Amino acid sequence: MNTSYRTVAVLQRHLRRAVSLSSYALLFPGQGSQYVGMTCKLQDLPGTRTIFRTAERVLGYDLQSLCLQGPREMLNQTVHCQPAVVVGSLVALQQLEAQSPEVLSGCTAAAGFSVGEITALIFAEALSLEQGLQLIKTRADCMQAACEEMSGSMLSVVGLETEVVQSLCDQANAATTPPPKVCIANYMFPRGLVVSGGSDGVRCVEEGAVREGGVVKQVAVSGAFHSSLMSSAVPKLTRLLETMDVTMPRLSVISNVTGRPYSSVEEIRQLLADQVTQPVLWEASLRGILDNGPLTFVEVGPNKQLKTILKRINRDAFKSCISVTV
């Protein structure tokens, strides 16, 4: 049995176990989950060809070749990896639809981490594929430009309470002048946070977190995402979103900024633009979905990062979580 058939067989077994639960929530990964070779096993699906052709037309380059062949350094650039992650997730959706359409018809909620939120909105038909790709292209270009304008970094801090990490950020901001300042950028899981901002301030937080007994790790990104260092991207995204025919999603889509479902088209436009400077409330987003009753989470896209995070939030939900990878 080749690898692709084994993947399908495993997926089908997991779905059969989950059939007793009445609904599903789809999770879409963000930047950092990409890898060279992604989608290689799903090239024969008709939807894959359509998605990549549309991506090439909108983006202006051959994303399919970049995903399949690299080079890795180019794929990992912000300007390329954000479209790659979203397109990879959309291709994984084609596999899920082909093998288990009942999951899509039974889906009641969707959430995406950072750029993955745009994937969720495309899936929920709030944005067309073309609009979503244009938004991702502009978002990635603007964030890449912001990284080049002002250097910054991100730091994972595990094992410390939020109040402790916030205090370390406050101390770093008081000690480092002038700005850019540091802030908590991602609320991942209990005692699991990511700090973002100017490199000097992030180093101060790192030193303080180690003293407090935290486990720290530099995040492999090119800048200080979800912080004020991305402010230059907001006006451009706002202008673009104002021109787009955004509609209310056909199912509940959770905003990274509020941790709650979107309630209006105006809120989608505003929060998608603001999202690049605001923290990702990921733990709150998943807990909000779980509060609405029993369901099965399905992570759709490259790698299994979101399932790993889910284990720190709700172990029962983690045990039933299905991964549909590319």
Side-chain angles (χ1 to χ4, degrees):
M1 183 182 292
N2 65 33
T3 303
S4 60
Y5 285 124
R6 281 201 302 271
T7 300
V8 169
V10 170
L11 172 61
Q12 290 174 328
R13 284 201 302 273
H14 282 303
L15 290 168
R16 282 195 293 271
R17 292 189 195 114
V19 73
S20 61
L21 297 180
S22 60
S23 62
Y24 302 88
L26 267 56
L27 305 179
F28 298 100
Q31 185 168 342
S33 60
Q34 74 281 348
Y35 61 91
V36 174
M38 56 191 279
T39 76
C40 66
K41 300 170 187 174
L42 306 179
Q43 291 297 305
D44 291 336
L45 292 173
T48 298
R49 295 190 291 273
T50 300
I51 291 168
F52 273 116
R53 280 198 298 265
T54 305
E56 184 171 4
R57 184 175 70 251
V58 174
L59 300 174
Y61 60 88
D62 187 353
L63 180 65
Q64 186 173 28
S65 293
L66 188 58
C67 288
L68 293 173
Q69 303 168 14
R72 183 177 61 183
E73 294 75 14
M74 183 175 292
L75 179 62
N76 287 347
Q77 292 175 2
T78 295
V79 69
H80 296 134
C81 72
Q82 290 191 15
V85 168
V86 172
V87 167
S89 297
L90 293 174
V91 169
L93 273 174
Q94 305 306 304
Q95 179 187 8
L96 182 59
E97 182 175 22
Q99 297 298 325
S100 301
E102 70 277 7
V103 173
L104 300 188
S105 62
C107 180
T108 59
F113 192 92
S114 193
V115 73
E117 187 174 312
I118 299 177
T119 320
L121 288 166
I122 295 171
F123 165 66
E125 299 175 6
L127 294 168
S128 68
L129 175 59
E130 291 80 0
Q131 285 181 320
L133 288 168
Q134 182 59 58
L135 180 59
I136 296 156
K137 180 180 187 300
T138 300
R139 184 185 191 272
D141 289 347
C142 290
M143 292 177 72
Q144 181 74 45
C147 293
E148 294 169 357
E149 290 167 6
M150 191 174 295
S151 64
S153 59
M154 300 182 76
L155 179 77
S156 169
V157 181
V158 175
L160 300 179
E161 298 293 342
T162 300
E163 295 77 10
V164 175
V165 178
Q166 183 60 58
S167 177
L168 292 173
C169 290
D170 294 341
Q171 294 171 36
N173 289 334
T176 56
T177 54
K181 301 298 186 180
V182 294
C183 64
I184 298 176
N186 303 155
Y187 293 81
M188 309 288 285
F189 51 84
R191 296 163 63 91
L193 305 163
V194 174
V195 170
S196 180
S199 297
D200 289 343
V202 170
R203 278 194 293 271
C204 288
V205 172
E206 181 175 12
E207 293 168 359
V210 171
R211 287 196 301 271
E212 294 287 342
V215 178
V216 300
K217 182 180 180 180
Q218 288 289 329
V219 180
V221 292
S222 58
F225 300 150
H226 298 286
S227 79
S228 61
L229 271 69
M230 296 292 110
S231 295
S232 62
V234 175
K236 297 174 184 176
L237 290 171
T238 300
R239 288 193 295 271
L240 176 60
L241 283 160
E242 287 172 350
T243 70
M244 289 185 165
D245 183 21
V246 182
T247 61
M248 280 300 293
R250 59 181 174 80
L251 48 85
S252 178
V253 175
I254 312 302
S255 164
N256 283 188
V257 177
T258 65
R260 300 189 303 273
Y262 281 111
S263 60
S264 69
V265 169
E266 291 72 22
E267 187 178 44
I268 293 174
R269 287 197 174 101
Q270 177 186 340
L271 295 184
L272 275 184
D274 291 344
Q275 189 223 53
V276 295
T277 63
Q278 298 299 311
V280 175
L281 305 183
W282 191 247
E283 180 186 351
S285 297
L286 297 195
R287 292 194 186 280
I289 294 173
L290 287 164
D291 285 344
N292 287 323
L295 50 69
T296 299
F297 281 110
V298 184
E299 181 176 5
V300 184
N303 281 313
K304 301 178 182 180
Q305 295 177 343
L306 299 182
K307 182 175 180 178
T308 301
I309 295 171
L310 182 60
K311 187 175 184 179
R312 303 288 194 105
I313 298 173
N314 186 301
R315 292 187 69 87
D316 289 337
F318 162 77
K319 291 176 183 177
S320 65
C321 182
I322 303 158
S323 294
V324 184
T325 64
V326 291

